Each structure stands twice: as C-alpha cells, then as structure tokens.
Amino acid sequence: MIPELESFKMPILSLVTLTPALGALLLTLIDRNNKALIRQIALMVSFLGLLFSLIMVGNFDATVGTMQMEENLPWIESLGISYHLGVDGFSVLLILLTSFSMPFVFLSTWKAVDSRVKEFHIALLLLQTGMIGAFVALDLILFYLFYEAMLVPMYLIIGIWGGKDRVYAALKFFIYTMVGSLFMFLAILYLYNHAGTFDLPLLLERLRTTNPLDGTQQFWLFLAFALSFAIKVPLFPLHTWLPDAHVQAPTAGSVVLAGVLLKMGTYGLLRFAIPLFPEAAMDLREEFCWLAVTGIIFGACMALVQTDIKKLIAYSSVSHLGFVVLACFMNDVESLTGAILQMVNHGLSTGMLFLMIGIIYERRHTRELADYGGLAGVVPVYSVFFIIAVLSSIGLPGLNGFVGEFLILFGAFRADAVWGILAASGVVLGALYMLKMTKMFLFGPLVHDANRNVQDLQTREILYLSPFVIMMVWLGLYPSTFTKLVQPTLSLYVQMLQN
Amino acid sequence: MEPLTLSKAEILAVLPAGALFVTGLIQLLSDLGDPNKTSRQEKTHLAMIGATGALVALASLFVQGTAASTGELYAGAMTDDLFGRLGAGVIIVTSLFCTLMAGGYLSSSGNNRAEFHALVSFSAGAMVLLCQSTNLVSMFVAIETLSLAVYVLAGFFRQQKAASEGAFKYFVMGAFSSGFLLLGMAIIYGLSGASLSFSAIAAAGASDDALFAVGALLVLIGFAFKVGVVPFHSWVPDVYQGAPTLAVGWMAVAVKASSFFALCRFLYHTGGGAYMDQILIALSIVTMILGNLAALNQQSLKRMLAYSGIAHSGYLMIPLIVALSGNDILIGASLPFYLCAYAGTTLAAFGVLTALSKATDKDQLGDLNGLAKSRPLLALGFTVALISLAGIPLTAGFIGKLMIFSDAIGAGFVQLAVIGILTSLVSVYYYLRPIVAMWFRDPRSSFDLIPAPWGVQFTVGACGIATIVFGIFPDWLVELSRISVETILG
C-alpha cells in the first residue's frame, strides 16, 4: 500500500488501460520515416504502462477479495452504459502479465518489422489498451467493446505484417472470433433487458435476488458466452483458427496472441460465463471438462507430429489451455489458483518461445525443424535461454510451469480420476514433444552449412529475454508472492458459487 | 370559403424545403440555353448556398419552435416536429456533402450541366417535405416529386447503356410501386370516412377492418420499393451499378432515410391495421437474410453496397415492428439514430467510390488494391465506414445495432435479434473484403489514382470522424432520436 496514492485517488486503472492508446495517438503525429523515434516512443509508452501497472499492484490489497480501485462513471447514460473499471484477484496478474510482456514485445520487433513501422506500433499499442481494458472492464458493453477492440489491430497485424498466407489466416481469425462475440453480444443485450443493467456486480446481484433466470434462459445464455470464450481459448474443437493465425502472424503478433489474447477466453469464463450462469455451468461441466481433456491430448498429439516450430508451439497452446479450462470448471480454490497461475505461466513460457523462434527466424528465415540441428554449439547463449523456456513449458519443478500444472492435476484427480489420468498423460506427452523438438532443433549433428554462421544473441535480445527468465524462476520458487494476491478473491468466488 | 391565411409556423415550416426548391429553379434558369454560361464552380457555389440556406431555415425552426409538435399545419398536410426536423437535417446535410463532392466528379466526366445540382435540390426539397408530411396527399406528392428527380439522376449519364437501362428499370418499377401506394391510400381514404391526415385516419377507427389492412399493406409495398426491401428490391443493384456513383450515394442515403421517416410516421399514427406486424417481421427476416447473402459474392463495390443497403433496410424495419408491438417503454427510438449512423457511413463509402470512379467508373473490388499505400486517409475513412456498417464497436453503427437488437429482445422478438446477429456476421465477411484489398494487397501496376478532390476528402473525413464520435459519445443523438419519436406519438 502506498498511502500517498490512496489519498490522491489516482484513476490508476484508467492510466494502465489508456496510456497505450494515448501513446498511439501521439505516434500518429510522428513522421513515418523517423522509425527510430517511433520505436523509442512506443517502447517508452509501454514501459510507462508497466510502471502504472506496478503501482496498481503496489496498491492492490491482497487481504480483500472484492473489487478494488473501482472507477465508475456514467458514460452513455441514455443506454445505461457506464465506464466501470475494477481489479480483483482474477485480473490483477493478467494485467501485470500484459503490461510486463509489451515492452519486450516492442523491443523484439526493432529489427523484425521494417515496413509500415508507424502503423505497426499504433496497432500494437491499441491492442494493449484493448487487452488491459477487457481485463478491467466491469460493464458488459465496455467489456465487449475492449474485447472487439483487440480484434481489429490483431487482424491488421496478422494481415499486413504476417507470412505468406496472412490474408487467409487473418480472415479466419476475424470470422471465428466474431462468431463467438456476436452471440455473446446478443446474450448481453438479453441480460440487459432481463435485469436492466449492463453493470457486472449489479447484474450478479440481481440475477441472484430479484431477477433470477430460469433453466432454459441460463442454458442458452451460458452457451452464448461460453462459445465466445471457447473460441478465444481455443477449446477443442474450436481451435482450428489458432495454428493458422500463429504461423502467419509476425513474432510480435504470436507473442501477444499466445501470451495474452488466449487468456481472454479463460478469464471470460471465470469472470462472466460461470458466475453469471452458475447452474448452467454446473450442468454442462462434464461436457466442458471432456472437451478440455480431449484438447489436452489432441493438442499434444498434434504437436508431436509438427515440423514447423511455430505450429508445434501453437498446438502446445491448445494443450496447455485445456488444463486451464479444466481447472475453470473445478470449483475449489486450489484448482482455480492453478488455473490463474497456469494462464500466467503459459503467457511467459510460450511468449518467450515465440520470441526466441522469432530471433532465429530473423537469422535463418525458416521455421522448419528439418532445417536446423546442432545449433547448441553455434549459439550457446541462445540455446541456454531456449532450454529454460522449454523446461518451463513442460513444467520442470523449480520453474513456473510446475506449480500451476500440479495444482490443476490435483484438482482434476479429486473431481474424477479419469480426467486426472488423461490430463496427466498430457503432461507426459508435453515433455515428449517439447524435448523432441529441442533435440531436433538444438542438438544432433550440424547438417546444414547455413547454420554454421548463425549469430548468437545480441545484448538487446538478452535484455528482453532475461526478464522472462527471472519471472519464471520467481514464479517457480516463490509462487506465494503471486498466489496470495489471488486467493482472497478465489475463496469469495467459490463461496458464492456454492450458495 | 375561408381566405387563405398562413400562420408564422406554417411559413417557417416550409422554409427549408422552399430554399431547396428555389435553388433548383435558379440553377436551371442560370443554365438556360448555354450550359457553359456559368462555370462549374459557380454552379457548385450556388448549390452550396441553397443547401446552407435550407440548413439555416432548419436551424431557425429549432430556435423558434419547441421540441413538441406545433400542431397540424396547412390543414393537416404537414407538421413541424422534432422527428421531421431530424429527418430534414439528415437530408439537407447529405445534400450539402453531395454537392461538395459533385463538382470534381462531374467535371471529370466531362459534364457541366446544372441539372445535376438542380435535381439534387429538387429531390432534397421533396424529401424534406416527405419527412414533415402528415397526410396522404402531401406524402404522395412529396414521394412522386422526389422520385421523378431521382429517376433522372439515375440515368444522368444518358450516353451509357447501363445507365439508361438502370434508369428505365427504376422508372418502370417506381411507377408501378407508386400505383400500389396510391391504391392503398385510396382504400384507406375510403375506409376512414374520407379523412386524409394520419391523425384523422387513426381517429376514424377503421384500422380493424380487413380492407384497411390491405390498404396499409399496399402503402407498405409502395415504400418497400423505394427503400429496397426484399422481394421488392430487384431494381436496386442494377440501378446502383448504372447510375453515376454520386447519384447512387444520394439515393442510398437520402431516398432511404426520407422514406423510412415517412413510413415510420405513417405506421406510428395509423397502426398499420391487422397483420402489419407479422408482415413486417416476415419482410424484415427475408430482407436481412437475402440482402446479406447476396452481398457476399459481389465483385462490384456498387452492387455490394446496394445489397448491403437492402440488408440495412431489413434491420431498419425492426424498430417499426417494436413500435407496433405496443410496448410502451420501447418506442422504436432506434430508427432515427440508425438512419443517421447509416447516412454518415454510407456517404463516406460512396465518397471513396466517387474518388475512385472519377474518370473511368472503376468500382471493382480489385480497384481498391493498395489504396492504403496510395491514399492512406481515404482508405482510413472507408475502413471506418465499413467497420461501422458491420457494427463493430466504437462506431455509430455499433450503437445503432445495439439499440435495435436490444429493443427487439426487450419487446420479445428474440428471433429477430438472433437472425439480425447471424446476418451481421455474414456481413462482416463482405465488409472485410474491401479492407483486405485496401490494406493487405499491393497496388496494381496500372494503378493510377487521380488525386481525390478536397470535397471528397472533406466528406469522407467528416463522416468518418462523426461515425467515431457518435460511436463513443452517442448520448446526445440517442436522446434526440428518442424525444423525436416521442413527439410523433404525442
């Protein structure tokens, strides 16, 4: 707690959310040929965003489980839409993760993106505002707005700066996401007409007391919300947009997509779909858990046979987020803690993996595993960083991945041993495909001559990779720094669901 | 017979339309004999002065009158209420923008006739009257006047085959639909004891009569032709393709807006008789589905926008249904808002097409390739317009859709909202295609875009900014449209 700030009543959440958008506005004034200045400004803005979110975490009261630092202003009064922001245990780490990743994403693009630099940075900054805004919004329309606001910049990032089939991938991404969000939009409007408010806390209150929904209404509304979030996660079998989007997106796009955007789905389940319609969620729990488990195994099996590194990691995301979805439907504090930790972990490890693939792609212009091999001797520093990321991804004890996965598996076993066993086999498969990939990528004989002169990591690259490593170790060794932020909220949430 | 006396309110109420009619006449007279007597700039300036004058006259209505209806003027032929003023405002502002864009467009096609401006002025005047009309005769006269002007506009490039074909088709269909309209009016007139004004018709209490329903249906069909509701839409794509791009923009915005304003007033007053709600629901569903599906595979942007306009007519019928459902809280206030949002975005879209098609009437999707590189601001404006038409947040189009679908759900028409959402999803696909072409593709090698005249740039920019501003701060316009609809219900 920082007392001065408390008394000053700084609109800290607005600052965290809107700083990037203001930065984007500033960038529009800069001459497009002054690429260096554009890059520096964007980087500074993102660091400013990180600073604000650190202040937010500093102000965050870890003993309270309710909404904090709320800002509630009327916005479109004639339609009952308010500018209502707030943060609690569900969102605090995800906001931190977003603001933490962005500066390093910007650093990573300094060489990779050289065309339309100005537009690229504007799109990324707007994307950041969209992501953080979606995490802090407590008004359903405001949430929907930020949720959609992520869509357009990401669409442009894939479509303009992406690979060969970028137009197809971008369109697929857009249409898939739009399908889900439009149904959610309809459900939001239905809720408004039912309970007379878009405000989430008020809505939760009214649905429980004055305006309860009947079973059929709950069922359809839950499906509408869950469909939107399941596409975003992506939950098997709605995942087919993800490999295309990841492979075609530029590095920065992949990092943001894997690091933050996918979490929007699981966050949405926890924040909106399940608490708003708890009975429907309970009724459909088995179906969702089975889909999640299928996704874990399916994603892992698909990852095993990929030859394109990016595609492999894309499928590993399907597998990893299956764990999170599984945990979202276990209503106990441990599993939910695991879910939130796993969201952060996946953001860190997969984000870092994509960054590292981006680095090697800049040097060799290929992502085919067969084109590599024996890199460990050529680029030792790179290899060390890469292996750390891989180990974090497969959940080695001592690194971040372990804690979350352990908690989730624990909860799954308690709920149903079959889910537990199947999910655990996903962990084994995860180790298998990751290590197989590492072997083909870094070790073995150096067959291709082109790989002999690959440059090792530069200072800039080490600079933006190290924070990820630090966070991985921190989360692995002292997870309680982070879990204690989320637990009060989770206990309240579980209590609320049980009533 | 009483001597003809005009009250101050009566004089004020016709001033906006009067200013436009007078401007049109002056245009024609100044051009008499030799089209090159006055230069292109002079013609544009004259049209601008006329439209501005109409706007000033409209503003004076706001200053003089109150928001509530000033009662029946001209023995019930027209009124001056907020609803009519809002419609008039949309039309006059649209005509102002069209005039701004017209100068460069006409000169590049080697045409310097004053008729274009005159016809826009005449039709704008008639549209303003249509928005204000409150009886059958004034409504019919206004519709016919505007239609005649727009028929000629559609065939303005008379040397071109497509233009003549489109205009002829439009004329035949339009005349046909006027027949329906008139027949419907005659039936209603007869049934309600020879009353002409909407309020007298409503008071006559004949609306339960089955024949009244037939009359109202015929009137609806007449309007359905004008706004392009399926199955009365077949003329729209052909006319849009053949007509001058600018005239299409004018038709797409102003004809549709004024017709909807008039239809809304007619239905709200008379109730539309039995079955009207079911008929509207059926038409709305068919229009939303077919309009959006047909737009999917259009290579010509004009045809695409034609079908998209048809689809939007389907959405615009939802507020009418909501209003007729008799729900006191929901009065279909989304209609004026949606029309304003639609007007702004459609104007921006056609503005870009005007710039593209200046010399050669390019309107293929491929002609947009790489526009973001050659003309970033124009591309940005077009993108905003398309995003708004698709109903993506932070645009006025989103707020409009939000209001329409929310009202539909509130009035218990969940099926309409579901179909509306599904079809907007379809629309996202075809609205994205121009965006893909502009931003993701490289310009064609033969790509040589004539610099966009400032009128087009200004229009696209202003409409784009307005779309965003009303997407973020719609309160004022939402309230305005709500009050305006309340005024016609009294």
Side-chain angles (χ1 to χ4, degrees):
Chain A
M1 296 283 282
I2 304 171
E4 300 87 23
L5 292 175
E6 267 269 298
S7 54
F8 180 53
K9 281 279 180 196
M10 194 161 56
I12 185 71
L13 291 181
S14 290
L15 283 175
V16 177
T17 311
L18 298 178
T19 303
L22 294 178
L25 213 58
L26 177 68
L27 280 191
T28 56
L29 305 174
I30 311 281
D31 175 26
R32 62 173 54 253
N33 295 319
N34 201 344
K35 292 177 184 172
L37 184 65
I38 290 172
R39 287 176 178 133
Q40 282 157 8
I41 289 179
L43 184 67
M44 260 155 15
V45 169
S46 62
F47 267 117
L48 199 62
L50 177 58
L51 180 73
F52 284 134
S53 52
L54 286 175
I55 295 177
M56 177 206 74
V57 175
N59 270 305
F60 189 83
D61 185 350
T63 57
V64 185
T66 48
M67 281 295 160
Q68 302 186 28
M69 295 171 236
E70 279 186 75
E71 294 167 31
N72 196 353
L73 302 168
W75 175 30
I76 306 178
E77 281 176 272
S78 52
L79 301 175
I81 301 168
S82 57
Y83 178 79
H84 191 178
L85 308 181
V87 59
D88 68 356
F90 282 127
S91 44
V92 61
L93 287 185
L94 293 171
I95 298 165
L96 190 61
L97 172 72
T98 312
S99 334
F100 167 81
S101 315
M102 287 314 283
F104 310 116
V105 168
F106 278 115
L107 262 178
S108 78
T109 62
W110 279 23
K111 261 201 181 148
V113 173
D114 206 47
S115 69
R116 304 205 216 174
V117 174
K118 184 169 153 179
E119 287 89 342
F120 184 78
H121 285 85
I122 291 175
L124 266 181
L125 285 172
L126 290 179
L127 186 61
Q128 185 178 356
T129 289
M131 293 186 295
I132 297 181
F135 285 134
V136 294
L138 292 181
D139 180 280
L140 289 182
I141 291 290
L142 190 66
F143 169 74
Y144 180 76
L145 215 116
F146 283 122
Y147 194 75
E148 292 284 286
M150 299 181 295
L151 193 55
V152 177
M154 196 65 211
Y155 171 68
L156 294 175
I157 287 173
I158 298 175
I160 298 179
W161 295 276
K164 201 161 66 47
D165 293 323
R166 57 183 190 273
V167 175
Y168 168 76
L171 197 65
K172 198 168 173 181
F173 165 74
F174 199 99
I175 299 280
Y176 262 69
T177 320
M178 204 67 192
V179 171
S181 50
L182 277 178
F183 280 106
M184 181 171 73
F185 179 53
L186 203 61
I188 291 173
L189 294 181
Y190 191 92
L191 276 177
Y192 175 71
N193 278 292
H194 180 80
T197 179
F198 286 122
D199 192 75
L200 182 67
L202 214 57
L203 201 59
L204 284 169
E205 184 62 35
R206 288 191 190 169
L207 288 184
R208 267 202 313 264
T209 53
T210 50
N211 306 57
L213 294 158
D214 67 35
T216 332
Q217 286 171 324
Q218 278 222 12
F219 177 80
W220 288 107
L221 291 173
F222 175 74
L223 270 194
F225 271 85
L227 175 72
S228 169
F229 297 133
I231 289 172
K232 205 85 176 181
V233 169
L235 184 66
F236 176 88
L238 303 169
H239 63 278
T240 50
W241 62 271
L242 183 71
D244 287 311
H246 263 320
V247 171
Q248 298 304 327
T251 302
S254 296
V255 175
V256 175
L257 196 60
V260 185
L261 236 71
L262 303 186
K263 276 83 207 170
M264 211 56 75
T266 41
Y267 168 79
L269 283 176
L270 288 175
R271 167 75 81 217
F272 299 99
I274 299 176
L276 280 173
F277 320 107
E279 284 144 43
M282 271 298 111
D283 290 343
L284 290 167
R285 176 169 180 250
E286 292 232 348
E287 285 79 359
F288 274 86
C289 287
W290 275 113
L291 285 180
V293 170
T294 317
I296 294 174
I297 308 269
F298 175 84
C301 290
M302 287 302 279
L304 261 177
V305 295
Q306 297 305 318
T307 55
D308 181 308
I309 309 180
K310 255 187 154 178
K311 218 165 190 162
L312 189 151
I313 296 176
Y315 277 110
S316 88
S317 292
V318 176
S319 180
H320 281 156
L321 282 155
F323 284 100
V324 183
V325 175
L326 187 65
C328 289
F329 283 88
M330 307 286 148
N331 294 329
D332 58 274
V333 178
E334 292 79 30
S335 303
L336 290 171
T337 312
I340 292 184
L341 277 186
Q342 187 68 358
M343 288 191 225
V344 178
N345 294 337
H346 178 262
L348 290 173
S349 55
T350 310
M352 180 164 164
L353 280 171
F354 275 124
L355 283 174
M356 301 218 60
I357 292 161
I359 291 172
I360 203 79
Y361 185 79
E362 273 171 42
R363 291 157 168 66
R364 284 279 284 109
H365 298 285
T366 171
R367 287 186 307 257
E368 284 298 314
L369 268 177
D371 291 336
Y372 293 103
L375 279 180
V378 188
V379 284
V381 185
Y382 179 90
S383 304
V384 169
F385 275 96
F386 193 84
I387 290 168
I388 293 174
V390 165
L391 291 178
S392 143
S393 176
I394 60 182
L396 185 84
L399 288 174
N400 57 345
F402 175 71
V403 194
E405 246 170 32
F406 181 78
L407 285 170
I408 292 173
L409 287 178
F410 192 64
F413 266 110
R414 219 165 29 180
D416 188 333
V418 182
W419 293 339
I421 292 167
L422 287 173
S425 65
V427 180
V428 179
L429 284 172
L432 200 62
Y433 64 73
M434 279 317 237
L435 292 176
K436 177 177 158 244
M437 184 262 281
T438 315
K439 183 180 149 248
M440 288 174 73
F441 185 48
L442 295 180
F443 301 105
L446 193 62
V447 248
H448 300 283
D449 284 337
N451 288 338
R452 279 180 208 287
N453 304 318
V454 176
Q455 199 189 10
D456 207 347
L457 289 186
Q458 295 165 326
T459 328
R460 175 178 65 96
E461 289 157 347
I462 294 176
L463 211 65
Y464 70 70
L465 290 175
S466 309
F468 282 87
V469 177
I470 294 170
M471 289 305 288
M472 284 171 184
V473 176
W474 189 352
L475 261 163
L477 295 180
Y478 298 104
S480 65
T481 329
F482 301 93
T483 54
K484 76 165 194 266
L485 292 179
V486 305
Q487 259 152 357
T489 305
L490 295 182
S491 341
L492 260 182
Y493 171 84
V494 171
Q495 249 173 40
M496 191 191 79
L497 284 186
Q498 274 158 2
N499 289 335
Chain B
M1 201 171 162
E2 285 176 49
L4 187 68
T5 48
L6 293 179
S7 69
K8 188 180 155 206
E10 281 173 328
I11 296 172
L12 276 174
V14 288
L15 273 184
L20 290 164
F21 282 128
V22 170
T23 317
L25 282 175
I26 295 176
Q27 289 274 10
L28 283 186
L29 288 176
S30 71
D31 218 27
L32 212 58
D34 179 15
N36 293 321
K37 207 158 55 189
T38 49
S39 72
R40 182 167 64 79
Q41 276 89 355
E42 282 168 336
K43 285 168 183 160
T44 312
H45 289 164
L46 183 57
M48 298 272 296
I49 291 168
T52 316
L55 211 54
V56 171
L58 186 70
S60 74
L61 282 182
F62 277 98
V63 177
Q64 291 286 325
T66 51
S69 167
T70 48
E72 297 187 334
L73 310 174
Y74 297 98
M78 63 182 286
T79 185
D80 163 40
D81 57 7
L82 195 58
F83 189 71
R85 286 181 209 158
L86 197 57
V90 171
I91 283 150
I92 296 170
V93 171
T94 307
S95 82
L96 204 59
F97 279 130
C98 278
T99 309
L100 268 178
M101 294 192 280
Y105 180 71
L106 290 176
S107 69
S108 69
S109 54
N111 199 317
N112 185 28
R113 292 172 183 279
E115 280 101 320
F116 193 93
H117 293 303
L119 288 167
V120 168
S121 296
F122 284 143
S123 51
M127 288 166 185
V128 170
L129 286 182
L130 182 59
C131 293
Q132 295 173 315
S133 68
T134 52
N135 83 10
L136 295 175
V137 170
S138 60
M139 186 166 84
F140 185 75
V141 170
I143 287 189
E144 281 307 284
T145 314
L146 83 88
S147 298
L148 279 175
V150 176
Y151 296 148
V152 183
L153 275 179
F156 196 72
F157 292 153
R158 57 187 172 200
Q159 304 88 344
Q160 292 173 10
K161 224 174 155 186
S164 306
E165 187 198 323
F168 185 69
K169 206 168 180 176
Y170 189 27
F171 176 66
V172 173
M173 290 289 205
F176 199 52
S177 76
S178 296
F180 278 104
L181 194 64
L182 206 53
L183 184 58
M185 286 177 175
I187 293 175
I188 293 173
Y189 176 70
L191 271 178
S192 50
S195 31
L196 282 173
S197 75
F198 298 159
S199 49
I201 293 169
S207 59
D208 294 332
D209 201 308
L211 202 55
F212 185 90
V214 174
L217 175 63
L218 289 172
V219 172
L220 177 69
I221 289 176
F223 277 107
F225 267 106
K226 295 283 177 246
V227 298
V229 166
V230 178
F232 311 105
H233 69 287
S234 57
W235 59 273
V236 180
D238 292 340
V239 174
Y240 275 30
Q241 198 169 28
T245 311
L246 195 56
V248 180
W250 174 241
M251 285 157 64
V253 177
V255 175
K256 179 168 291 185
S258 59
S259 303
F260 261 111
F261 271 100
L263 179 63
C264 184
R265 197 193 284 279
F266 172 75
L267 287 179
Y268 282 16
H269 273 295
T270 63
Y275 315 119
M276 181 50 84
D277 45 349
Q278 282 101 318
I279 294 165
L280 281 174
I281 289 173
L283 287 181
S284 162
I285 290 176
V286 178
T287 306
M288 286 190 287
I289 293 176
L290 284 183
N292 278 310
L293 287 183
L296 269 183
N297 209 18
Q298 301 299 331
Q299 286 302 314
S300 151
L301 289 166
K302 273 159 121 185
R303 287 186 87 88
M304 189 272 272
L305 285 171
Y307 281 113
S308 120
I310 293 172
H312 283 281
S313 292
Y315 297 124
L316 280 163
M317 292 171 84
I318 296 179
L320 298 178
I321 300 165
V322 170
L324 288 182
S325 75
N327 193 322
D328 286 344
I329 314 157
L330 305 161
I331 47 173
S334 39
L335 187 103
F337 185 91
Y338 198 91
L339 274 173
C340 292
Y342 173 81
T345 49
T346 309
L347 258 183
F350 277 103
V352 174
L353 283 196
T354 308
L356 266 185
S357 64
K358 252 182 81 177
T360 48
D361 254 25
K362 288 183 198 167
D363 78 323
Q364 295 299 300
L365 196 55
D367 295 328
L368 283 176
N369 283 358
L371 192 70
K373 273 192 185 132
S374 52
R375 307 211 64 88
L377 286 180
L378 217 52
L380 192 66
F382 198 19
T383 308
V384 169
L386 289 165
I387 284 179
S388 175
L389 285 171
I392 291 171
L394 291 181
T395 60
F398 168 72
I399 301 288
K401 283 224 166 91
L402 187 152
M403 290 169 72
I404 284 192
F405 293 145
S406 178
D407 285 357
I409 293 172
F413 298 105
V414 180
Q415 82 278 25
L416 280 179
V418 170
I419 293 170
I421 286 282
L422 281 175
T423 50
S424 353
L425 182 66
V426 172
S427 77
V428 168
Y429 179 77
Y430 63 79
Y431 288 130
L432 280 184
R433 287 172 68 198
I435 299 182
V436 168
M438 285 187 292
W439 295 89
F440 299 171
R441 300 209 195 282
D442 285 326
R444 287 181 178 171
S445 49
S446 60
F447 193 80
D448 54 331
L449 191 72
I450 304 128
W454 74 268
V456 172
Q457 293 190 16
F458 179 77
T459 306
V460 175
C463 291
I465 290 170
T467 302
I468 299 276
V469 168
F470 283 120
I472 302 177
F473 305 107
D475 253 339
W476 173 76
L477 196 54
V478 171
E479 279 304 321
L480 194 65
S481 52
R482 192 165 281 168
I483 298 168
S484 77
V485 175
E486 273 163 12
T487 57
I488 41 171
L489 293 174

